[in-house]
Amino acid sequence: MTDRIDRLVRTWIASEQEQEINDTASEIAQGNATLLGLVKSLGEYLTAEEDDLRTKGVEFLSLVLAKCPPEKLNRQSVRVLTTFYCGKLEDTETIIPALKGLVTLTKLPAFASTDAIEVVKATFSHVKMKALVQSQRFMVFTVIDNLVAQHREALKGLGEEFVKGYINLAEGEKDPRNLLLAFAIDRVLLLEFEVQKYIEDLFNITFCYFPITFRPPPNDPYGITAEDLKGTLRACLHATPAFGSMAIPLFLEKLTAGSPVTKKDTLDTLDVCLPVYGPSVARENARKLWNCLKLEIFQPTDSATEEKALKTTQVLIQTIYSASEGEKGDSQEIEGLAKDACEECIQILREPEKSQAQHAIKVLCAFMSTTPSVARFTLMRAVPHLVRLFLNPDELPNRAPTLRLLADLIEAARESTANDPEVLPEEGTVPLSPYKDEVLGVLTVGLKTPASALPAIDGLKSMVRTIGLLTDEELGFVVHNVNEILEKEEEEGDISDASLDLLSTISSFAPVHVSGNTLPLLFTALPDRPPPRDAESERIRYWRTLAYLKKLCTQSDLFETLVVRLSTKLDLVCFPSMSREDLPETDLEPAAAYAHSILKTLADVLSTKIDQGHADVVKYIDRLVPRLYNLFIYSALLAEERPTVATDPRLLAVAAQIVTLITQTLNAGRQAAFVKAVFGAYLDGNVTQLTDGVQKIPGDKTFSPLQQGAPSPQKNLVVLFAAAVISLHREVSLPVPDETGLLKSLLQWTVNDAENALQREAVVHTIAAILNRHAENLEAFLATDIATFWQTQIADNAAPVESRRNAILTFTWLTKALLVRGHNGAMTNVDRLFELFNDDSVNWDAAQAIGRVPGHDKILTKKNHAVIKILYAQKYTNSVLPRIIEGANASDPLRQNAFLVALAALIKSVPKSTYAHQMTFLMPLLLRGLDLPDNEIRASVIETLQAAATSSGKDNGLLAEHASSLVSTMLKNSAVAQTPSVRVRVAALRYLATLPDVVRYDVLHPQKATVLRELGRILDDPKRAVRKEAVEARTNWFKFTG
């Protein structure tokens, strides 16, 4: 084995290859050799006269040592190697490889404290840092860092010798990698070593780097940032109170003369240093620090520096007064900086309308989160002053700014006590308590005037959110005063919104006041009878009232009241009192509009509650849904005798939204019970399990909306049937013996019985929802019935065109239901749609269907518990798009246009990421799509081009290539004479406005004069929206220069 080691040594000395090092380390690891044996083999090189051989010998030993397992180095080996390497530090030729060896040795478990002392002394004696390059100095710092981490107590035993020696080593270091280590060592020394004698030297080798101005070079392989250095240096600067008297003058200098970045760094550093430096140093320098901070607060260069200065002011006050907090219980005993600064700010607040008052109140607000005594003193001085200012007749014009200042202070007082909302404050510990009566008084006075109402509401909101401040009676007083604002019809939107926000805040913890005072007021304002068509002011009044209720009634108790009262109101609107029945009701539109607003309010509040995760929504499957079914079924049955309000399809749509929202929140078991009642009513005519309400369903009338020959008002109620089915969980089984038979009959119903789009869409949505959940159980329907439907209703040229188009829409939903769940049948259906491209009567309909299949809809969604596979749209696009591109380029003109229509529909339906990589091939096709006569398609194409343009940067090569065609096409689509569609004209003008931002000037310059001339003509467009976009586009082109 000795021969093998000798051979490896000689080979490496000659070649310096990595392989020899690995082989040698492997021999030692396997126990075939020892490190001491390696030293013997290296003997002639380690003691050679030639510097190069001697250096190589030590280098080889260090490299092998670094790769050896630690367990192969016993105490004796480490001891011998330590002595050896320390000796080599004296040799200027071997100092570098010796340091490499020491880096490894000092980490080893067998490295003892005596070895540490020997290494430290040798390093201090023989290593001259100024003679070493960065990587070599890094090894020195690494050795010291290892020793400090592993053998701290031994180094402490050296006393001044270690501290003084380290200071000499670290002095003058500039490299960021080395400084990170040096700062870490500095902090340990300052915290744990006896350094008082050398505190000034340590100050000099740390504070000389403040502030850090390092900027990492591009592609820095070490990844060191300025923040890394700032953080480690800051840890040193606040490591000892002894730095205080020397550091503060330096900080003051940087605050006075530094750049904005330096000032922010200084303020951040002061935040952590002041508490460590202690109250004595802070008090001694308080006035100087305040003068600097005051400048940054009252004359800020930017908001970030202002915020940091306020934070530092807080820290300064806390540092000065926290120590004596226990001794001074009385706020009147406050002396020093807090008192002086407070007085300065109060003086400025004498002119609340001036901008300086805003800065002064920020300082006082900052004081609120310092110490309890300072907070009490601040309130004692500021609140009475602002109250007097508000009540002063001479200051009447300044009431609004005064209340704004007071509201800010109240909010700061609230934040200073908002520690734990579950723990109620003790009596008398809420800082604002002594002044709440006066403050409440001026805020309620401020509510009466529009100019001061907003700040007054903000102040009241902060008061009601302050735990333990207002009594229940006082909360009622606040609600009463805010109600007066809601009663004023001419009130501005901002004020009423803020009032509602305040009432909502109160209702979240004390709903009894809102339900007992505000809601009766609002419900009384809602008329029992709909205003006639010409009563616009009355209609606006009930719109406003319903808007108020919508914002207020999300809390569970309030929503329950809302449901009861609005359900009653809905009954009164849809079924007027008997005394009015004999009156001719020829115009039902006002009543329908009023009922629609009521239902929409309920739907919007439900949607908000679901988004907020309210658990009480589920109970309205029993309390609201049966009343809705009762209302609409009764109305449909009554419509056979006379016109009724609730047969209006617009009301049905909103009622369906309510049913779906509530059904979404139910678990599978509760959904199953509900859908059983729905199917019983719609398939068997048994409505008793589904309906409940004031109106009693007549027993002599039959409810059978899905039966052949059913009256149109009953057929319209399939909307509510669909509403119950589309949000069912996958595991809910339908209460029918044969789901295939059900779907087959529903599919036939859309062909033979549906009278309008409302009915057809509702049933198609029902089929799609069932097919999406239970496709695995419906193979017969998929294999036979869909194929039959295709052949008889779509592929048959003899069928009426309108009927075929309706059937294609149905077929689109069937395909979508399969696609989103990843079923193979979806692509089979798409292939069938492509077959229609030769049929000029329906080819565009088929093309649009292909594009719409992967699009987002409101039926097959996660909220509705649909079965959805991820990336279905991407997979679909990857399959269909190449086929569309090929067809648009290769086929005859008839088919080409169909492929262009499919392309336009597809790119509108899917995320941009699915087709972005194909834009080079798509751009010419999209430009051809702009010549199609369909306005919807042209608008979609332009909007797609717009999205692609805005997401790309300047100098877009693809746009530059087609710039001339794009400009001329967009100008043509912007002119009213050639393009009647407002949507197309607006989209084209927006695209023209975007072009100067994404295409180089030299490319667009030849078009500039033409564009400006044509845009000048478009400024006379009859539509205001078009003129507005033309002005924007013309401005962008005017400013467009090289």
Side-chain angles (χ1 to χ4, degrees):
M1 280 300 114
T2 304
D3 293 342
R4 173 152 173 73
I5 296 297
D6 289 345
R7 189 163 56 253
L8 289 169
V9 168
R10 285 195 299 272
T11 305
W12 187 86
I13 294 293
S15 65
E16 297 187 35
Q17 295 296 311
E18 182 78 10
Q19 187 60 45
E20 282 73 36
I21 294 167
N22 292 336
D23 290 348
T24 305
S26 177
E27 291 291 331
I28 295 171
Q30 293 169 15
N32 298 329
T34 64
L35 271 170
L36 294 180
L38 175 62
V39 172
K40 290 178 183 177
S41 297
L42 284 168
E44 61 180 291
Y45 302 107
L46 298 177
T47 58
E49 293 293 329
E50 294 89 342
D51 294 343
D52 183 48
L53 285 178
R54 198 164 66 252
T55 302
K56 282 187 175 182
V58 181
E59 176 83 6
F60 185 75
L61 178 61
S62 295
L63 292 173
V64 172
L65 181 64
K67 291 182 178 290
C68 281
E71 61 271 14
K72 291 298 178 182
L73 283 93
N74 56 27
R75 178 73 195 104
Q76 181 188 1
S77 302
V78 170
R79 180 80 202 102
V80 171
L81 288 170
T82 300
T83 304
F84 168 75
Y85 279 124
C86 287
K88 289 302 177 183
L89 290 178
E90 301 176 25
D91 185 347
T92 55
E93 299 301 325
T94 58
I95 188 171
I96 307 308
L99 285 170
K100 287 183 185 177
L102 287 172
V103 168
T104 304
L105 275 180
T106 51
K107 295 177 184 174
L108 295 174
F111 189 83
S113 297
T114 52
D115 302 328
I117 293 171
E118 183 179 354
V119 170
V120 163
K121 289 185 175 181
T123 303
F124 291 163
S125 299
H126 305 303
V127 176
K128 309 299 178 195
M129 294 292 270
K130 292 180 181 177
L132 304 179
V133 297
Q134 180 277 325
S135 58
Q136 297 161 357
R137 298 197 305 276
F138 183 77
M139 288 190 289
V140 177
F141 281 113
T142 303
V143 169
I144 300 297
D145 187 52
N146 291 342
L147 297 177
V148 169
Q150 305 290 338
H151 303 282
R152 196 169 301 173
E153 294 304 319
L155 299 182
K156 286 181 184 179
L158 290 175
E160 295 179 6
E161 181 183 355
F162 175 73
V163 177
K164 183 178 178 182
Y166 171 74
I167 290 170
N168 290 333
L169 277 182
E171 196 170 14
E173 181 56 59
K174 293 180 181 178
D175 189 87
R177 288 162 288 175
N178 297 343
L179 287 174
L180 281 177
L181 273 179
F183 292 156
I185 298 168
D186 294 344
R187 177 169 171 78
V188 174
L189 263 62
L190 289 164
L191 287 172
E192 299 193 31
F193 284 67
E194 184 57 51
V195 295
Q196 195 58 42
K197 186 175 178 181
Y198 294 97
I199 199 69
E200 193 169 336
D201 294 320
L202 286 165
F203 176 85
N204 290 334
I205 67 167
T206 51
F207 275 81
C208 65
Y209 299 105
F210 183 84
I212 295 290
T213 55
F214 167 71
R215 287 185 181 178
N219 304 317
D220 179 21
Y222 303 104
I224 296 173
T225 66
E227 292 307 312
D228 294 334
L229 288 168
K230 286 178 182 179
T232 50
L233 175 60
R234 203 170 285 153
C236 295
L237 305 189
H238 75 272
T240 174
F243 278 163
S245 58
M246 295 179 285
I248 297 296
L250 177 68
F251 290 144
L252 289 170
E253 178 190 335
K254 302 301 180 186
L255 281 176
T256 305
S259 66
V261 174
T262 297
K263 287 181 179 179
K264 290 173 189 172
D265 191 8
T266 304
L267 291 169
D268 286 337
T269 307
L270 274 168
D271 290 349
V272 294
C273 288
L274 282 173
V276 175
Y277 294 166
S280 178
V281 171
R283 202 174 294 113
E284 185 181 332
N285 296 278
R287 177 50 64 179
K288 294 177 184 176
L289 284 166
W290 168 239
N291 287 338
C292 287
L293 294 169
K294 185 167 57 174
L295 197 64
E296 301 304 326
I297 296 168
F298 286 92
Q299 299 175 29
T301 53
D302 59 81
S303 58
T305 307
E306 181 187 14
E307 287 177 18
K308 288 181 182 294
L310 285 166
K311 177 71 168 62
T312 305
T313 303
Q314 275 185 322
V315 173
L316 177 61
I317 296 296
Q318 282 173 327
T319 305
I320 294 172
Y321 293 96
S322 290
S324 57
E325 187 66 32
E327 304 164 14
K328 295 185 178 181
D330 191 349
S331 58
Q332 295 184 15
E333 296 181 21
I334 290 290
E335 296 290 342
L337 178 62
K339 180 181 180 182
D340 297 344
C342 195
E343 295 296 342
E344 285 183 55
C345 293
I346 296 292
Q347 193 66 32
I348 294 170
L349 292 180
R350 292 179 186 277
E351 297 178 306
E353 75 283 5
K354 299 288 179 67
S355 62
Q356 290 297 298
Q358 296 296 325
H359 302 300
I361 204 67
K362 287 180 181 178
V363 174
L364 297 179
C365 289
F367 281 9
M368 293 307 303
S369 294
T370 53
T371 71
S373 62
V374 172
R376 288 194 297 270
F377 178 80
T378 302
L379 287 176
M380 183 185 74
R381 300 289 296 119
V383 173
H385 170 77
L386 291 171
V387 169
R388 284 195 302 271
L389 206 59
F390 180 87
L391 298 175
N392 186 346
D394 297 335
E395 295 290 338
L396 202 59
N398 295 326
R399 280 190 163 186
T402 301
L403 281 189
R404 171 52 57 205
L405 299 174
L406 182 58
D408 290 345
L409 191 61
I410 297 168
E411 176 61 13
R414 185 196 68 79
E415 289 178 349
S416 71
T417 58
N419 296 323
D420 187 351
E422 299 297 322
V423 179
L424 291 175
E426 296 177 13
E427 188 70 30
T429 59
V430 181
L432 202 60
S433 291
Y435 317 100
K436 70 173 180 179
D437 293 340
E438 299 95 314
V439 171
L440 205 53
V442 298
L443 291 176
T444 49
V445 171
L447 282 176
K448 315 299 181 187
T449 310
S452 60
L454 279 175
I457 291 169
D458 288 343
L460 286 170
K461 186 177 178 182
S462 296
M463 289 188 79
V464 301
R465 292 175 63 206
T466 303
I467 299 171
L469 178 61
L470 297 183
T471 64
D472 195 59
E473 186 180 346
E474 287 163 341
L475 286 172
F477 175 72
V478 171
V479 170
H480 172 75
N481 280 277
V482 176
N483 287 347
E484 293 180 5
I485 294 179
L486 299 182
E487 290 182 278
K488 298 178 183 176
E489 293 183 16
E490 72 283 356
E491 204 55 77
E492 295 179 18
D494 288 346
I495 296 174
S496 58
D497 287 348
S499 302
L500 291 168
D501 188 39
L502 172 56
L503 291 172
S504 296
T505 302
I506 295 172
S507 69
S508 65
F509 60 87
V512 64
H513 296 292
V514 176
S515 62
N517 297 324
T518 309
L519 294 192
L521 186 76
L522 295 175
F523 288 131
T524 303
L526 287 175
D528 291 341
R529 299 175 182 179
R533 281 181 182 263
D534 55 357
E536 186 177 352
S537 61
E538 292 179 41
R539 196 154 42 250
I540 291 172
R541 191 178 302 124
Y542 80 62
W543 284 344
R544 183 190 296 118
T545 303
L546 288 171
Y548 291 169
L549 288 167
K550 182 170 73 174
K551 289 184 179 180
L552 271 182
C553 295
T554 54
Q555 196 270 343
S556 57
D557 293 342
L558 302 187
F559 182 67
E560 187 170 353
T561 304
L562 180 76
V563 168
V564 172
R565 297 297 295 269
L566 289 191
S567 299
T568 305
K569 198 72 69 174
L570 193 62
D571 288 336
L572 290 172
V573 173
C574 293
F575 303 103
S577 60
M578 294 301 291
S579 60
R580 299 180 68 239
E581 273 202 355
D582 296 331
L583 297 175
E585 287 285 352
T586 55
D587 188 6
L588 297 178
E589 181 64 21
Y594 187 18
H596 183 273
S597 296
I598 292 172
L599 286 168
K600 195 75 178 78
T601 300
L602 288 169
D604 289 345
V605 180
L606 270 170
S607 182
T608 302
K609 287 174 69 64
I610 290 170
D611 290 342
Q612 294 175 357
H614 290 193
D616 63 309
V617 174
V618 295
K619 70 183 182 183
Y620 293 99
I621 194 68
D622 298 319
R623 300 189 185 188
L624 176 58
V625 170
R627 292 193 67 167
L628 291 177
Y629 276 101
N630 191 83
L631 171 69
F632 286 99
I633 291 174
Y634 181 79
S635 297
L637 295 173
L638 193 64
E640 299 170 21
E641 302 171 5
R642 62 181 176 87
T644 56
V645 174
T647 53
D648 192 300
R650 292 167 296 184
L651 271 63
L652 280 169
V654 186
Q657 183 186 357
I658 293 173
V659 172
T660 301
L661 285 169
I662 295 173
T663 311
Q664 282 175 358
T665 64
L666 304 179
N667 59 37
R670 192 68 189 84
Q671 280 187 349
F674 171 61
V675 82
K676 182 179 180 182
V678 172
F679 272 63
Y682 277 80
L683 300 184
D684 304 327
N686 179 17
V687 298
T688 54
Q689 298 298 315
L690 181 63
T691 60
D692 179 33
V694 177
Q695 305 82 22
K696 300 303 176 188
I697 306 295
D700 59 337
K701 294 185 182 295
T702 304
F703 179 63
S704 54
L706 293 172
Q707 293 296 320
Q708 190 172 3
S712 185
Q714 285 197 35
K715 286 184 178 180
N716 283 344
L717 291 188
V718 294
V719 172
L720 296 182
F721 179 69
V725 175
I726 61 174
S727 59
L728 294 180
H729 288 279
R730 183 179 187 176
E731 52 268 28
V732 175
S733 299
L734 299 181
V736 293
D738 179 18
E739 286 189 9
T740 299
L742 171 68
L743 291 191
K744 183 177 180 180
S745 64
L746 289 176
L747 195 58
Q748 285 304 312
W749 194 90
T750 65
V751 177
N752 301 325
D753 297 285
E755 298 175 357
N756 53 46
L758 176 79
Q759 297 171 9
R760 190 179 304 106
E761 284 179 8
V763 174
V764 168
H765 291 166
T766 304
I767 297 170
I770 297 170
L771 188 59
N772 172 261
R773 271 82 164 171
H774 304 149
E776 65 276 5
N777 302 324
L778 298 167
E779 291 302 326
F781 177 78
L782 292 170
T784 306
D785 296 306
I786 289 182
T788 303
F789 180 79
W790 170 264
Q791 290 298 333
T792 58
Q793 304 302 323
I794 301 174
D796 183 5
N797 292 334
V801 173
E802 190 60 33
S803 172
R804 294 176 72 195
R805 286 175 175 164
N806 290 335
I808 288 173
L809 288 174
T810 301
F811 197 73
T812 304
W813 274 99
L814 298 177
T815 307
K816 181 190 285 284
L818 296 172
L819 177 71
V820 299
R821 67 168 285 144
H823 194 284
N824 294 332
M827 296 313 297
T828 304
N829 289 352
V830 171
D831 291 338
R832 288 169 173 159
L833 289 169
F834 272 115
E835 294 170 8
L836 294 178
F837 279 25
N838 289 320
D839 188 335
D840 60 355
S841 58
V842 293
N843 59 350
W844 279 31
D845 299 274
Q848 287 181 321
I850 288 171
R852 289 170 180 164
V853 163
H856 178 73
D857 63 87
K858 295 181 180 179
I859 308 301
L860 300 170
T861 64
K862 284 290 185 186
K863 280 189 174 181
N864 281 340
H865 314 296
V867 181
I868 300 176
K869 293 292 178 70
I870 62 169
L871 302 179
Y872 72 86
Q874 286 84 340
K875 293 173 184 174
Y876 179 83
T877 307
N878 291 340
S879 172
V880 171
L881 187 58
R883 189 171 175 180
I884 292 175
I885 294 173
E886 182 184 354
N889 287 320
S891 54
D892 60 77
L894 175 67
R895 285 173 59 84
Q896 275 188 354
N897 283 348
F899 279 109
L900 291 176
V901 171
L903 174 63
L906 179 66
I907 58 180
K908 183 183 178 184
S909 299
V910 297
K912 180 177 178 294
S913 59
T914 61
Y915 60 82
H917 61 288
Q918 297 270 31
M919 278 305 292
T920 304
F921 305 105
L922 295 179
M923 182 65 80
L925 301 179
L926 292 172
L927 287 172
R928 281 164 52 193
L930 291 175
D931 293 327
L932 294 171
D934 189 291
N935 289 324
E936 278 292 314
I937 293 173
R938 285 157 69 186
S940 297
V941 170
I942 297 173
E943 287 162 5
T944 299
L945 291 170
Q946 173 85 8
T950 51
S951 63
S952 62
K954 192 82 171 173
D955 193 20
N956 186 303
L958 184 61
L959 293 183
E961 181 183 344
H962 297 277
S964 177
S965 301
L966 285 166
V967 169
S968 59
T969 306
M970 294 303 165
L971 285 174
K972 185 173 75 173
N973 280 280
S974 302
V976 65
Q978 295 169 288
T979 310
S981 168
V982 174
R983 182 185 167 196
V984 174
R985 300 205 303 275
V986 167
L989 287 166
R990 284 179 180 165
Y991 190 80
L992 279 172
T994 302
L995 280 177
D997 296 328
V998 294
V999 180
R1000 297 194 320 271
Y1001 179 75
D1002 61 296
V1003 176
L1004 287 181
H1005 174 65
Q1007 318 289 329
K1008 184 173 180 180
T1010 305
V1011 171
L1012 291 174
R1013 183 176 65 252
E1014 294 300 319
L1015 287 176
R1017 294 173 181 166
I1018 297 168
L1019 292 176
D1020 295 327
D1021 193 282
K1023 294 295 182 180
R1024 183 175 179 274
V1026 177
R1027 296 196 300 271
K1028 177 176 176 293
E1029 296 298 337
V1031 169
E1032 185 73 26
R1034 199 161 183 253
T1035 302
N1036 282 10
W1037 279 81
F1038 259 127
K1039 293 178 180 178
F1040 191 37
T1041 56

